[in-house]
């Protein structure tokens, strides 16, 4: 299992470090690791991605994008 720091996690899901910190305060489980002699917060990549997918489902812009994609696919099926 890969673990990511705040910065690596933010880059992985294309969000800010601040967002990752907010998710941690909201309940996302994170642990500690020692990297280069310093103690840093880390999150498991699978946990991060599942947390991100849950948040994405409630994001209105994502919902609009999905509707547009589904409408385009349905239009292709109807047009011979």
């Amino acid at each position: 299992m890969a673990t990511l720091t705040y910065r690596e996690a933010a880059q992985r899901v294309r969000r800010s470090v601040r967002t990752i910190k907010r998710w941690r305060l909201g309940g996302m489980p994170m642990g500690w690791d020692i990297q280069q002699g310093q103690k840093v917060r880390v999150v498991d990549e699978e946990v991060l991605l599942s947390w991100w997918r849950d948040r994405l489902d409630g994001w209105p812009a994502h919902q609009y994008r999905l509707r547009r994609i589904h409408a385009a696919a349905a239009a292709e099926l109807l047009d011979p």
Side-chain angles (χ1 to χ4, degrees):
M1 288 190 280
T3 57
L4 306 169
T5 63
Y6 277 126
R7 183 171 291 171
E8 293 166 344
Q11 289 173 348
R12 178 70 174 90
V13 294
R14 295 187 201 128
R15 296 288 180 261
S16 69
V17 172
R18 201 170 176 185
T19 299
I20 304 302
K21 289 181 180 182
R22 195 172 341 112
W23 288 355
R24 182 186 63 84
L25 293 173
M28 183 172 67
M30 293 184 81
W32 292 97
D33 193 17
I34 296 180
Q35 295 181 357
Q36 299 175 355
Q38 291 189 347
K39 198 172 176 182
V40 294
R41 282 254 188 213
V42 292
V43 62
D44 183 50
E45 188 173 13
E46 291 178 22
V47 170
L48 173 72
L49 293 177
S50 68
W51 193 269
W52 176 60
R53 283 185 208 107
D54 288 344
R55 298 300 163 284
L56 202 58
D57 288 341
W59 189 36
H62 180 68
Q63 296 300 318
Y64 297 141
R65 190 175 305 125
L66 288 176
R67 286 185 200 130
R68 189 175 59 230
I69 290 169
H70 290 298
E76 277 185 23
L77 291 175
L78 295 177
D79 290 335

